[in-house]
Amino acid sequence: MLIKKPIAIALTALSLSFTLHVSAQVPAGYSADYAKIVDGAKKEGKLVIYSATDSKAVEPLLKDFGTLYPGIKIEFNDMNSTEVYNRFISEAAAGGATADVLWSSAMDLQFKLVSEGYGATYKSQEATAIPAWANYKDSAYGTTFEPLAIVYNKRLVNADEVPATHDDLLKLLHTKAEKFRNKVTSYDIEKSGVGFLFITEDAQINPQFWNLAKSFGDVGLRVQSSTGTMLERISSGENLIGYNVIGSYAQARAAKDPSLGVVFTKDYNLVLSRVVFINKSARNMNASKLWIDYLLSKRGQTIIANESQLYSLRSDVTGTSTLASLTTQLGGALKPIAITPALLQYLDQTKRLAFLKQWKEAAGKK
């Protein structure tokens, strides 16, 4: 996640309302009875979203959604991925008001909530337009196709030092340990839900993973709980390389910051998809359905790719931040994290603690 504004976003609800006076229409190709959902949403007049997606990236989506469905006030709560999970669980247990929709980059935590019965089943009108791996039983949907990246300081890291593969990174840390000592950063996997997800996925794919983890320890890995902090420190030169950084955020920052370079790995490159689901007890069920369909629609996905820069999941969307453009660039190296029960593997407390212990020993994060 990017750095949150200290009060308005991180600690309290960010309420954004777009009430534009145009007539809402049933999207072309939708079933005839969809008008009932639209009418029901109008009567509800509100939608509460808990999300680990930066509010600046979401604003174009909220605004466009408002042009389609005027009169629906969207309360968008921007938190980090662990906060989304903990806040929802706490409020649901207390029986009080909570989110209608949860939308988070912590795919495993989202899946855990759905698997525990918190998710409503809703077959989106757009379900057939997204990859099968991004739809779990019409209850949890992937919405983006965001590659993880290695980010580096272009002023201080030579072109021939930029790793193209995970093995390249391992060799770099071995051969130039002094240059990169205390200069490599990644997520604090105890505090960052997405960071824990990424590193456990890495461990399952990369046969040299624990050697890489040891190399991180040897050079004194610096960990952070947010993407924004990592990008700031790489830009300033305090750190030189960032590992497993969310690529969409990194590229958005690099477009404005000449100090930052972003590279995707050619041996394999993990891909994140932000998972969205409807709370089974949503107070605004119809408005929630509209939001799901909108996020997955070609219109919504086009904004995701070209304005929010979060990378579109649909193959029929054009632009630079799309599944199609990444496939052209990386082909079979792309490894999307599928929405399946396998996401729960390392959320088992025994396995989680064992992994954290091994990681701390290898990476020197005791």
Side-chain angles (χ1 to χ4, degrees):
M1 285 296 298
L2 295 181
I3 299 172
K4 308 303 179 189
K5 294 179 181 178
I7 298 178
I9 296 176
L11 303 180
T12 65
L14 173 64
S15 181
L16 297 175
S17 178
F18 298 94
T19 309
L20 305 182
H21 300 289
V22 296
S23 298
Q25 301 290 330
V26 174
Y30 281 24
S31 59
D33 61 355
Y34 198 75
K36 295 178 182 178
I37 295 177
V38 177
D39 289 340
K42 286 180 180 179
K43 291 175 183 177
E44 291 164 355
K46 187 177 182 181
L47 176 63
V48 180
I49 302 172
Y50 287 1
S51 181
T53 306
D54 186 67
S55 58
K56 290 183 180 179
V58 175
E59 190 167 346
L61 290 164
L62 298 179
K63 186 174 182 179
D64 188 55
F65 183 82
T67 69
L68 288 173
Y69 305 113
I72 299 176
K73 179 183 180 182
I74 300 180
E75 185 183 289
F76 186 81
N77 298 266
D78 179 5
M79 300 170 263
N80 73 36
S81 55
T82 305
E83 287 174 324
V84 169
Y85 177 84
N86 289 337
R87 180 170 169 181
F88 176 75
I89 284 289
S90 176
E91 291 172 345
T98 189
D100 298 309
V101 170
L102 281 79
W103 186 28
S104 175
S105 49
M107 299 176 69
D108 49 354
L109 294 179
Q110 291 285 87
F111 190 91
K112 184 174 190 292
L113 291 172
V114 170
S115 70
E116 291 175 347
Y118 289 103
T121 299
Y122 172 61
K123 185 171 180 61
S124 171
Q125 299 281 322
E126 304 285 349
T128 59
I130 65 173
W133 59 260
N135 177 3
Y136 180 74
K137 296 184 177 180
D138 296 331
S139 296
Y141 293 98
T143 61
T144 59
F145 194 80
E146 299 174 67
L148 303 192
I150 291 175
V151 183
Y152 60 97
N153 185 299
K154 292 169 72 174
R155 293 179 289 104
L156 302 173
V157 177
N158 301 328
D160 62 354
E161 293 174 326
V162 178
T165 67
H166 291 80
D167 280 348
D168 287 346
L169 178 60
L170 179 60
K171 291 173 185 175
L172 179 70
L173 298 184
H174 278 162
T175 59
K176 298 195 174 183
E178 286 309 310
K179 176 173 181 176
F180 291 97
R181 191 168 307 284
N182 300 321
K183 298 291 186 180
V184 180
T185 185
S186 192
Y187 294 100
D188 182 338
I189 67 171
E190 288 190 276
K191 296 179 180 178
S192 169
V194 293
F196 183 79
L197 170 66
F198 298 159
I199 214 74
T200 51
E201 289 289 327
D202 255 341
Q204 296 174 74
I205 294 177
N206 186 354
Q208 294 293 318
F209 173 78
W210 289 111
N211 289 332
L212 180 59
K214 185 177 185 303
S215 293
F216 286 150
D218 289 343
V219 299
L221 180 68
R222 294 294 183 255
V223 297
Q224 305 297 337
S225 59
S226 77
T227 309
T229 303
M230 285 193 282
L231 295 178
E232 288 286 349
R233 295 190 178 186
I234 297 168
S235 176
S236 71
E238 182 177 346
N239 296 142
L240 298 182
I241 285 185
Y243 179 70
N244 267 1
V245 182
I246 295 177
S248 54
Y249 288 162
Q251 288 198 310
R253 172 67 184 263
K256 303 175 182 177
D257 187 341
S259 294
L260 292 180
V262 180
V263 65
F264 302 128
T265 43
K266 296 179 180 179
D267 51 338
Y268 74 89
N269 205 109
L270 289 173
V271 179
L272 157 75
S273 188
R274 294 170 194 268
V275 173
V276 67
F277 74 87
I278 301 172
N279 174 9
K280 186 173 65 176
S281 302
R283 298 186 179 190
N284 304 295
M285 182 62 72
N286 291 293
S288 300
K289 293 175 180 178
L290 294 188
W291 179 251
I292 297 289
D293 290 331
Y294 171 74
L295 275 185
L296 299 180
S297 70
K298 187 173 182 180
R299 176 170 175 156
Q301 289 279 306
T302 297
I303 290 177
I304 282 175
N306 296 293
E307 295 186 48
S308 297
Q309 296 181 310
L310 295 175
Y311 283 86
S312 168
L313 183 70
R314 290 175 60 128
S315 60
D316 58 351
V317 172
T318 58
T320 56
S321 300
T322 64
L323 180 153
S325 64
L326 278 173
T327 301
T328 298
Q329 181 181 352
L330 294 172
L334 292 168
K335 302 296 180 186
I337 303 171
I339 306 174
T340 71
L343 287 169
L344 298 176
Q345 179 179 354
Y346 286 98
L347 292 184
D348 173 84
Q349 190 67 359
T350 300
K351 288 184 178 179
R352 176 183 171 84
L353 291 175
F355 185 90
L356 286 172
K357 181 175 183 291
Q358 190 174 0
W359 168 256
K360 289 177 182 179
E361 291 173 350
K365 308 315 303 177
K366 298 179 182 179

